[in-house]
């Protein structure tokens, strides 16, 4: 069985730089700019396999259904897609597709409300925004799009997340 953690995230020219060091009396400036968001829907495994879809505009049920339908074309074993409770995941159209996906052994599991910490793809979004994207990637929308695509295409090789749990001593 394969488990895929799925979610949407957005990237825009307002950088996600949490902090930085700078020399005394030498301010570091980074221009923030309003821009449209490059959005991503991803389905990720714990071993850094990722099916990712990028788009501009709002996430709609039809769009997410189309992405999952495309992903489902390559399902070769029982697969569980873990989703949060976003409105687009609970529309009538989406619920109707769940039964169709079950027929090809793709199952949808909803996380409890208000529990993004249980969806490990959130770690991917955080690492992309706060570690892997660099200040120069925010130069313009074209450079940001290229940097996001570079990370998404190279997850598991150039970029990876170690999801191993630390060992807890048995007392």
């Amino acid at each position: 069985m394969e488990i895929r953690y799925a979610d949407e995230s957005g990237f825009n020219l307002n950088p996600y730089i949490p902090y930085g060091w700078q020399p005394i009396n030498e301010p570091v400036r980074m221009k923030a700019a309003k821009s449209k968001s490059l959005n991503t829907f991803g389905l990720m495994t714990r071993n850094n396999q990722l099916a990712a879809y990028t788009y501009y505009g709002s996430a709609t049920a039809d769009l997410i259904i189309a992405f999952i339908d495309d992903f489902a074309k390559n399902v070769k074993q029982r697969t569980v897609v873990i989703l949060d409770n976003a409105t687009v995941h609970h529309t009538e159209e989406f619920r109707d597709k769940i039964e169709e996906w079950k027929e090809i052994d793709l199952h949808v599991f909803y996380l409890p409300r208000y529990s993004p910490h249980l969806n490990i793809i959130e770690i991917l979004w955080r690492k992309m925004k706060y570690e892997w994207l660099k200040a120069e990637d925010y130069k313009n929308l074209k450079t940001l799009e290229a940097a996001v695509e570079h990370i998404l295409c190279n997850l598991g090789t150039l970029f990876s997340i170690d999801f191993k749990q630390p060992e807890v001593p048995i007392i």
Side-chain angles (χ1 to χ4, degrees):
M1 179 173 73
E2 181 173 73
I3 298 174
R4 293 278 179 153
Y5 297 84
D7 191 29
E8 304 85 16
S9 189
F11 301 86
N12 59 52
L13 294 181
N14 196 7
Y16 300 93
I17 309 294
Y19 65 88
W21 293 99
Q22 68 187 47
I24 295 173
N25 298 322
E26 291 185 35
V28 175
R29 290 187 172 87
M30 203 168 159
K31 185 178 177 183
K34 280 196 161 236
S35 72
K36 59 184 180 177
S37 286
L38 171 66
N39 298 305
T40 303
F41 176 74
L43 300 110
M44 181 178 172
T45 67
R46 283 187 172 272
N47 61 356
N48 293 276
Q49 291 178 331
L50 177 69
Y53 303 87
T54 57
Y55 59 98
Y56 286 99
S58 299
T60 64
D62 290 338
L63 190 61
I64 302 304
I65 288 167
F67 294 151
I68 295 175
D69 278 343
D70 183 70
F71 170 77
K73 292 175 187 174
N74 297 311
V75 169
K76 295 181 177 21
Q77 62 181 316
R78 173 171 280 173
T79 302
V80 177
V81 174
I82 297 176
L83 289 169
D84 62 17
N85 285 283
T87 305
V88 296
H89 304 155
H90 286 282
T91 64
E92 186 176 332
E93 297 85 4
F94 197 92
R95 285 193 307 267
D96 290 346
K97 288 296 290 190
I98 290 173
E99 288 305 314
E100 185 180 318
W101 292 326
K102 281 183 185 176
E103 293 174 13
I104 59 168
D105 223 5
L106 188 143
H107 306 270
V108 172
F109 175 83
Y110 290 105
L111 291 169
R113 291 186 181 276
Y114 311 111
S115 58
H117 58 286
L118 297 177
N119 193 342
I120 66 165
I121 200 167
E122 295 287 356
I123 298 169
L124 171 63
W125 306 142
R126 186 179 74 240
K127 284 190 144 319
M128 287 179 71
K129 291 175 181 180
Y130 293 102
E131 292 180 35
W132 297 339
L133 286 172
K134 303 299 179 207
E136 58 269 17
D137 297 331
Y138 293 95
K139 180 178 175 185
N140 57 50
L141 204 51
K142 188 174 181 176
T143 59
L144 179 62
E145 186 175 326
V148 167
E149 288 289 336
H150 175 71
I151 293 168
L152 295 174
C153 290
N154 290 288
L155 185 68
T157 56
L158 300 176
F159 304 93
S160 64
I161 303 169
D162 183 2
F163 290 109
K164 294 178 185 162
Q165 297 293 323
E167 286 190 31
V168 178
I170 299 175
I171 300 175

